[in-house]
Amino acid sequence: PYHVDFIELMSKAVAYVPPENCDYITLDQMQSFAVESKFCFIGDSQMRHWGWSMQCVATDDFSYMNQTRTGDKSKPTASNFIHFDDNYLELISDESLKAYENCTDILVGSGQWFVGFPNARPLSYYVSRISNALKTMKASPYVKNLLWIGTSPYGNNPFHYADPPKDFRNDAVLEAFNHASVDIAKQLDIDYINFFEIGTALRDLAFDLTHFHDPVANNLAFVTFTALFMRAEAKKRSSSSVG
């Protein structure tokens, strides 16, 4: 069974010294950046929760993240944080992407629906689906800034050990799917956050085996805002130097 040595984990955390070039933007910077932006989240429930975590940080209202909401499918409520349901990324097409024309940043992710019971799909299908979706999005004139979000790990589930198994979201399978998606993002030169690597060490903090609230979700929002803000600033510098 999966086990975390909490004392060892905390001792490493206390001893950790961030590298000199590891900078996070301030909360004020995040909130100012959010006001000027429109974030669109495409994919499954992971992306819906990602939208919530970023909205909580941007609005300084963490009430949603401080509650256990198992089964809650409510979407982010702020007008500049919009979630589009697309569990298998089947709705992405040249035509459908017009809906994202006003999005300053598009965050897209999917994975667990492809391996969940009873509609599990083979890895080859996943690779084809993710590759086609990301290629279509990158080529679209309606998509300005794209960020791929790797899938979350999944906690220990008795269905993993059933005979035959009734859930395939174990570490080996999810890691293979996540690794494949990150490789696709790299090949297409698309920015990405490898959530699987981040979440694996924190899975015991998931309130329902796979979704995170405070404190993990809020810190993921900080990481995401920093990545998007730094990318926007780099583009500004590039544009000014060209001009």
Side-chain angles (χ1 to χ4, degrees), residues 13-77:
V14 171
Y16 175 72
V17 178
E20 292 182 1
N21 63 346
C22 184
D23 296 324
Y24 284 90
I25 62 176
T26 67
L27 181 59
D28 286 343
Q29 285 177 307
M30 292 182 202
Q31 292 174 343
S32 297
F33 177 60
V35 168
E36 301 169 355
S37 307
K38 182 176 182 179
F39 305 101
C40 294
F41 304 84
I42 304 174
D44 53 22
S45 59
Q46 299 293 341
M47 300 311 302
R48 185 173 67 249
H49 280 264
W50 212 281
W52 266 117
S53 64
M54 291 181 66
Q55 176 182 308
C56 288
V57 169
T59 60
D60 205 20
D61 178 2
F62 297 91
S63 56
Y64 183 90
M65 285 298 157
N66 290 331
Q67 301 176 41
T68 298
R69 294 173 174 266
T70 303
D72 183 3
K73 297 185 179 181
S74 57
K75 295 175 179 290
T77 53

Side-chain angles (χ1 to χ4, degrees), residues 4-17:
V4 172
D5 187 327
F6 185 74
I7 295 177
E8 179 184 359
L9 186 65
M10 290 304 296
S11 64
K12 289 182 178 179
V14 171
Y16 175 72
V17 178

Side-chain angles (χ1 to χ4, degrees), residues 21-190:
N21 63 346
C22 184
D23 296 324
Y24 284 90
I25 62 176
T26 67
L27 181 59
D28 286 343
Q29 285 177 307
M30 292 182 202
Q31 292 174 343
S32 297
F33 177 60
V35 168
E36 301 169 355
S37 307
K38 182 176 182 179
F39 305 101
C40 294
F41 304 84
I42 304 174
D44 53 22
S45 59
Q46 299 293 341
M47 300 311 302
R48 185 173 67 249
H49 280 264
W50 212 281
W52 266 117
S53 64
M54 291 181 66
Q55 176 182 308
C56 288
V57 169
T59 60
D60 205 20
D61 178 2
F62 297 91
S63 56
Y64 183 90
M65 285 298 157
N66 290 331
Q67 301 176 41
T68 298
R69 294 173 174 266
T70 303
D72 183 3
K73 297 185 179 181
S74 57
K75 295 175 179 290
T77 53
S79 60
N80 57 335
F81 292 87
I82 303 174
H83 175 252
F84 297 86
D85 287 305
D86 193 356
N87 293 325
Y88 295 102
L89 302 186
E90 295 172 316
L91 306 180
I92 294 175
S93 65
D94 294 333
E95 186 67 23
S96 68
L97 290 175
K98 290 181 181 179
Y100 312 123
E101 184 175 12
N102 295 322
C103 303
T104 57
D105 296 272
I106 296 179
L107 296 83
V108 58
S110 183
Q112 295 213 11
W113 279 74
F114 287 88
V115 292
F117 183 82
N119 298 314
R121 314 290 176 87
L123 179 60
S124 58
Y125 179 88
Y126 179 72
V127 168
S128 175
R129 174 64 63 188
I130 301 304
S131 180
N132 289 338
L134 292 183
K135 284 179 181 178
T136 301
M137 297 185 78
K138 183 166 184 181
S140 173
Y142 304 110
V143 176
K144 300 178 181 68
N145 298 301
L146 187 59
L147 182 68
W148 172 257
I149 304 294
T151 192
S152 167
Y154 196 74
N156 283 322
N157 187 331
F159 288 145
H160 292 166
Y161 314 109
D163 185 16
K166 292 186 177 180
D167 197 305
F168 303 96
R169 288 175 290 179
N170 57 55
D171 280 359
V173 174
L174 282 176
E175 186 172 18
F177 276 62
N178 185 69
H179 183 74
S181 74
V182 168
D183 277 351
I184 293 170
K186 288 179 179 178
Q187 292 166 12
L188 296 175
D189 195 25
I190 293 172

Side-chain angles (χ1 to χ4, degrees), residues 215-231:
V216 178
N218 300 332
N219 283 282
L220 288 173
F222 272 66
V223 169
T224 309
F225 270 124
T226 298
L228 297 177
F229 178 84
M230 295 299 188
R231 179 170 67 180

